[in-house]
Amino acid sequence: MNSQHHDSTVVRSSNAVPKLLVSTGKVALFAVLMWAAAAAGEIPIPGTPVPITLQTFVVMLAGLTLSWREAGSSVALYLAAGAAGLPVFAGGASTMALFGPSAGFLLGFLPGVIVTAALKGRAPMRSRVLTALRYFGSSLIGCVVVVYAFGFAVQSALTGASLITVALASMGFVAGDLVKAAVASLACAGLSLIHRR
């Protein structure tokens, strides 16, 4: 019995290392993708100092494909890189971006991606449409509602503008984020079902 217990412990330990490496790789990959999305360029929106980037799309993908711990860790790693002075934020910004108008949106990525990952569920549903709808709802709540709440609050506090003014000026983001959520949800629902088979 002791030998069997020892063998099973060794097997579990040997399996844990590859899983940890894969998980760490996923975290690092999405942190790099967030930097790449910021480096790909930005679209300025009149009336707000916060530009449109593809970062929200990457955050949605992270939330829909990773566990909440992995998704949260990838965003935390990305934010830590910027806080350490690496030019990983939009426009090549680093530490100061965490104290500027975009700070709330950047910081909101962390709770946003965790909420998205938690709401998406552990397994896809039998229907691709239902899975995509669940993913879409998760993305909207986590990566739009939660992120916007942080973004609006911090921008309002820093600029002195009212929350309503900040929200109205940021409505240009909504259409883009709806499209991002739809594309991410459809893609991830399809990938999940292929993997399941």
Side-chain angles (χ1 to χ4, degrees):
M1 290 295 291
N2 289 337
S3 176
Q4 290 178 347
H5 177 71
H6 175 72
D7 290 343
S8 64
T9 301
V10 170
V11 170
R12 283 198 299 271
S13 298
S14 63
N15 288 338
V17 174
K19 287 181 179 179
L20 179 60
L21 290 175
V22 170
S23 179
T24 302
K26 290 178 182 178
V27 169
L29 172 63
F30 273 95
V32 170
L33 287 175
M34 288 188 70
W35 164 77
E42 56 188 56
I43 301 173
I45 296 293
T48 174
V50 181
I52 290 178
T53 68
L54 288 175
Q55 286 180 296
T56 308
F57 181 68
V58 175
V59 173
M60 290 175 181
L61 290 178
L64 295 177
T65 57
L66 304 179
S67 69
W68 69 266
R69 289 183 181 86
E70 291 171 338
S73 295
S74 68
V75 173
L77 177 61
Y78 171 70
L79 294 175
L86 296 178
V88 296
F89 300 136
S94 59
T95 311
M96 291 310 297
L98 295 174
F99 299 94
S102 298
F105 292 96
L106 290 170
L107 297 175
F109 284 157
L110 184 55
V113 77
I114 291 173
V115 168
T116 299
L119 290 179
K120 77 166 189 285
R122 293 192 174 186
M125 303 171 77
R126 290 184 179 274
S127 167
R128 178 181 300 191
V129 174
L130 292 178
T131 301
L133 286 175
R134 186 175 70 187
Y135 287 179
F136 183 71
S138 301
S139 297
L140 286 186
I141 294 172
C143 294
V144 178
V145 175
V146 173
V147 172
Y148 277 35
F150 275 79
F152 292 171
V154 172
Q155 192 177 139
S156 175
L158 290 176
T159 62
S162 68
L163 280 173
I164 294 177
T165 301
V166 171
L168 289 175
S170 301
M171 284 300 103
F173 291 102
V174 176
D177 283 338
L178 289 175
V179 172
K180 293 175 193 174
V183 173
S185 300
L186 289 171
C188 292
L191 288 173
S192 296
L193 290 172
I194 290 171
H195 178 72
R196 189 181 183 187
R197 291 170 185 165

